[in-house]
Every structure is written in structure tokens, then in C-alpha cells.
């Protein structure tokens, strides 16, 4: 049996010095539009001091059991 556990987004930011910062969002909608995910990443980068958007990681989690 497949049991859906949820979706997560992780916005990955990077500073000019190479310092990385991650911002996590749990329980996001199924199949978010790419444009909206990138827009969220850009908003977070604008709010973070001296960080630029590196990438956004979208993770789907499911449990498979007997």
C-alpha cells in the first residue's frame, strides 16, 4: 500500500562569499507550477540579506508498506 506523506520545498540561497542558506517549507501543494516555485525562491532571496537564489528542491514523500 502506498501512503502519501507530503511534499516539501527547500529554497537554497548562496552569498557572494559562498555561504549557503536553506529555507524549508512543509506540506506544499501537489505539482506546483515551476514559475510559482521560482517566484517563491526569488521572494526569499530578496528578503535575505546579501543572498541570491541558487535553486529550489521539491521533494515528494510516500511510504510503501505491505
Amino acid at each position: 500500500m502506498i501512503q502519501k506523506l507530503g511534499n516539501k520545498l527547500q529554497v537554497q540561497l548562496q552569498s557572494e562569499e559562498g555561504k549557503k542558506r536553506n529555507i524549508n517549507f512543509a506540506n506544499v501543494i501537489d505539482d506546483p507550477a515551476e514559475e510559482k516555485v521560482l517566484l517563491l525562491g526569488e521572494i526569499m532571496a530578496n528578503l535575505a540579506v546579501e543572498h541570491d537564489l541558487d535553486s529550489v528542491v521539491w521533494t515528494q514523500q510516500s511510504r510503501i508498506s505491505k
Side-chain angles (χ1 to χ4, degrees), residues 6-66:
N7 298 320
K8 298 178 185 179
L9 283 177
Q10 182 182 67
V11 177
Q12 298 179 336
L13 306 175
Q14 186 168 356
S15 69
E16 291 181 10
E17 298 84 33
K19 189 175 182 181
K20 293 190 176 189
R21 182 174 185 180
N22 295 325
I23 303 169
N24 298 301
F25 296 91
N27 302 315
V28 298
I29 61 171
D30 291 333
D31 298 318
E34 181 178 346
E35 307 83 44
K36 291 185 179 183
V37 171
L38 291 175
L39 179 60
L40 174 65
E42 289 294 336
I43 291 169
M44 293 295 104
N46 287 335
L47 292 173
V49 177
E50 299 181 11
H51 283 79
D52 293 319
L53 177 62
D54 182 46
S55 62
V56 180
V57 177
W58 175 48
T59 306
Q60 286 182 292
Q61 291 183 316
S62 299
R63 176 183 293 140
I64 301 173
S65 59
K66 291 186 191 181

